[in-house]
Amino acid sequence: MTFKELNVIEPLLKALDQKGYQNPTPIQQKAIPLVLTKQDLLGLAQTGTGKTAAFALPILQLLSDEKEKKENKRKIRALILTPTRELAIQIADCFQ
């Protein structure tokens, strides 16, 4: 399976390619389609299996779709809860 088969948009596919990511991990294969349909997600996987990308990629895609619709409403677009400041910084870096 590829990220393209998961319906990830072209700008994100380019970013993944630049970072050297070829194929989604099992957690990404299961999570990305769910988040793209705006379903809640709770996932468990070992460290280093791509959990952050599993939710970050579809969130970025949904934000991109929303931006194209030019909705000017100020609302919460995503809320990510994490137990430590260090992990919050890692997640923020991943999004950027």
Side-chain angles (χ1 to χ4, degrees), residues 25-85:
T25 64
I27 187 77
Q28 293 164 350
Q29 290 176 19
K30 293 176 183 177
I32 290 172
L34 287 174
V35 178
L36 285 176
T37 59
K38 300 182 180 181
Q39 295 184 47
D40 291 337
L41 172 68
L42 176 63
L44 292 165
Q46 288 184 300
T47 301
T49 57
K51 290 182 298 292
T52 302
F55 64 83
L57 290 170
I59 287 172
L60 289 170
Q61 183 160 326
L62 291 171
L63 290 172
S64 175
D65 292 347
E66 188 176 288
K67 186 177 179 181
E68 288 179 11
K69 292 178 186 174
K70 299 194 183 213
E71 293 182 20
N72 293 327
K73 301 174 193 172
R74 287 183 53 106
K75 59 184 176 180
I76 295 174
R77 291 175 170 80
L79 176 63
I80 300 162
L81 302 175
T82 179
T84 65
R85 173 179 275 188

